[in-house]
């Protein structure tokens, strides 16, 4: 028997999806389309940030901690 997966978006996400659908159907100019896409992307990021509860400072710390360090011949790669 096949299992079913259901998903109910938050009110913010449902509103974003509705605006996204309307914007995709419209034939705006390229610069207007770019502005719209950036606004939608920022809104999606805002919704996701609010959902997770992380602050931008905390996300910056996580990003800094998970990036690989720079290596050069002058920096030893061996501990001690």
């Amino acid at each position: 028997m096949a299992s079913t997966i259901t998903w109910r978006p938050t009110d913010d996400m449902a509103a974003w999806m509705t605006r996204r659908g309307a914007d995709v159907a419209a034939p705006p100019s390229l610069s207007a389309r770019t502005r719209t896409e950036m606004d939608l992307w920022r809104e999606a990021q805002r919704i996701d940030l609010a959902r997770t509860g992380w602050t931008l400072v905390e996300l910056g710390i996580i990003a800094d901690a998970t990036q690989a360090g720079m290596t050069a011949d002058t920096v030893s790669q061996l501990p001690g």
Side-chain angles (χ1 to χ4, degrees):
M1 179 157 91
S3 60
T4 335
I5 298 173
T6 57
W7 173 72
R8 185 178 186 322
T10 63
D11 292 341
D12 280 349
M13 184 59 82
W16 179 85
M17 291 167 73
T18 302
R19 285 192 313 272
R20 177 81 168 103
D23 288 337
V24 168
S29 68
L30 182 58
S31 61
R33 183 81 175 138
T34 302
R35 281 193 307 274
T36 300
E37 289 292 325
M38 289 306 298
D39 288 344
L40 290 171
W41 177 247
R42 286 184 191 113
E43 182 68 8
Q45 292 296 307
R46 185 197 62 76
I47 292 168
D48 199 37
L49 185 61
R51 182 185 58 79
T52 61
W54 293 96
T55 66
L56 291 177
V57 172
E58 291 168 330
L59 290 174
I61 291 169
I62 292 169
D64 290 343
T66 57
Q67 289 180 4
M70 292 177 53
T71 56
D73 292 338
T74 58
V75 178
S76 173
Q77 295 182 11
L78 299 174

